[in-house]
DNA sequence: ACACAAACTTAACACTGTTAAGATAGAATT
DNA sequence: AATTCTATCTTAACAGTGTTAAGTTTGTGT
């Protein structure tokens, strides 16, 4: 059953092999055929599990969103920064540590797709922690901003900074601690504005 | 000379036809062959003017950067907003009006390239107006931030908002005036933080 | 034991980027 | 004015891509 015609759980294998290729060859090297070959399966086998390449990419992205959400949740432990800034550090760090995956998640490839419900949901789960903290901040001190507006502002700066950094548009320190301060510092405007 | 073997200025034609395709078929539909066909020329002709597809894309992006800079310069006329917010409106509006081009300019395709000097320069020219206004703001009221940090913050929020909007991650009003207020409002945190 | 359906293979299609080799024609040189 | 030169373009080919149709295999339910 293992080494024969029916693979067993080819779907999961294809996903993990895809991420593998993504990390060391980039999205350009991620062809359906390459994934199939790496999974030790015929060229057309993936089409039994994904309608087309876009659906495969979407599935990878969904895994990415779940991973990002997990990273954000773990940021509660970091104590030296404001909560908003911790989330920012978590978000940007994820982008830096998963460049290719992050690009895929927010890149053109998927943006042009009509996203599935699961995709939309996984994406929204990453928005949630940010929104929660922003509304807490707004409750403390009153400033004519709506929660929605302030959250969008926060998400924008965090997301924008991520992209500028992974695209090398902005210089970035090498030391880990300096990096955290760099990110916190750039996102501090949010705390400043909402307090 | 016109209707014969030698085209005359094929390079420019290829660039404009590329943008044409980009706008109505998206980057996915932009193949070297398609551009060549639309320019009425053989499949391999483009390779006399661009070393490879990436170089063609880069040339398109450079035109994009120059266009973006021009848009930013024109934003001086808008008077009801703070200068920073006018620039933000210019930046985001450009992204919304040139979705495909904007995606190409900041997308993965070029980010993985070693950019040419001309590319870097054109890109930097878009950073400049933002940086200028931020330093003016910082001069007025003192707040421990460096010009570099504040500019990065500003660029991040403006760039991030652009991407979230063109990717449909955030709802956006349809009315033109409301759109401008929407953008200004989301980027107002910068003014708030630096004053 | 048999039928069924899901998972896989093989083979083919049209398309892609890219290159090598040759054709053309305008510019430079004699 | 004839000739060479060189950039520009064409034709033809290669390997690689996404995708589909048709057929094989195999575990599952009857």
């Amino acid at each position: 059953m293992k080494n024969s015609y029916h693979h067993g759980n080819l779907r999961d294998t294809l996903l993990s092999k895809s991420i593998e290729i993504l990390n060391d060859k980039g999205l350009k090297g991620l062809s359906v055929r390459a994934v199939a070959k790496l999974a030790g399966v015929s060229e057309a086998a993936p089409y039994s599990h994904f309608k087309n390449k876009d659906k495969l990419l979407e599935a990878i992205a969904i895994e990415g969103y779940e991973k990002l959400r997990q990273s954000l949740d773990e940021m509660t432990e970091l104590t030296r920064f404001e909560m908003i800034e911790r989330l920012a550090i978590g978000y940007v760090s994820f982008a830096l540590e998963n460049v290719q995956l992050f690009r895929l998640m927010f890149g053109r490839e998927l943006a042009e797709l009509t996203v599935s419900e699961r995709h939309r949901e996984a994406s929204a789960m990453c928005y949630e922690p940010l929104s929660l903290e922003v509304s807490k901040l707004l409750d403390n001190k009153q400033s004519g901003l709506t929660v929605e507006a302030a959250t969008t502002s926060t998400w924008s700066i965090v997301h924008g900074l991520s992209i500028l950094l992974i695209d090398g548009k902005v210089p970035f320190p090498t030391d880990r601690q300096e990096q955290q301060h760099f990110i916190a510092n750039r996102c501090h405007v949010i705390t400043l504005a909402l307090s």
Side-chain angles (χ1 to χ4, degrees), chain A residues 64-103:
Chain A
Y65 282 117
E66 290 167 352
K67 206 171 157 191
L68 171 55
R69 169 61 195 253
Q70 199 180 331
S71 293
L72 292 182
D73 287 343
E74 287 167 1
M75 279 303 118
T76 329
E77 300 160 16
L78 221 76
T79 57
R80 282 176 60 197
F81 297 96
E82 304 270 351
M83 197 56 204
I84 286 279
E85 287 159 14
R86 285 186 231 172
L87 288 176
I89 292 172
Y91 194 99
V92 178
S93 297
F94 175 86
L96 288 165
E97 287 161 15
N98 304 273
V99 175
Q100 300 290 344
L101 181 55
F102 188 82
R103 284 221 185 95

Side-chain angles (χ1 to χ4, degrees), chain A residues 35-147:
Chain A
V35 176
K37 179 178 285 185
L38 197 60
V41 98
S42 85
E43 299 172 344
Y47 290 90
S48 295
H49 298 274
F50 303 96
K51 191 185 169 191
N52 51 32
K53 185 180 183 181
D54 284 337
K55 292 297 175 188
L56 169 62
L57 296 183
E58 189 182 41
I60 299 170
I62 290 176
E63 284 207 345
Y65 282 117
E66 290 167 352
K67 206 171 157 191
L68 171 55
R69 169 61 195 253
Q70 199 180 331
S71 293
L72 292 182
D73 287 343
E74 287 167 1
M75 279 303 118
T76 329
E77 300 160 16
L78 221 76
T79 57
R80 282 176 60 197
F81 297 96
E82 304 270 351
M83 197 56 204
I84 286 279
E85 287 159 14
R86 285 186 231 172
L87 288 176
I89 292 172
Y91 194 99
V92 178
S93 297
F94 175 86
L96 288 165
E97 287 161 15
N98 304 273
V99 175
Q100 300 290 344
L101 181 55
F102 188 82
R103 284 221 185 95
L104 173 59
M105 288 161 60
F106 293 98
R108 171 190 54 83
E109 286 79 15
L110 298 179
E112 284 168 1
L113 248 65
T114 40
V115 295
S116 71
E117 194 45 48
R118 198 151 143 46
H119 184 176
R120 184 187 313 283
E121 196 182 335
S123 164
M125 290 297 282
C126 298
Y127 177 83
E128 201 191 55
L130 241 56
S131 174
L132 187 67
E133 284 308 316
V134 167
S135 65
K136 275 190 199 164
L137 256 184
L138 282 179
D139 279 354
N140 285 355
K141 312 220 171 184
Q142 197 61 357
S143 75
L145 285 171
T146 67
V147 177

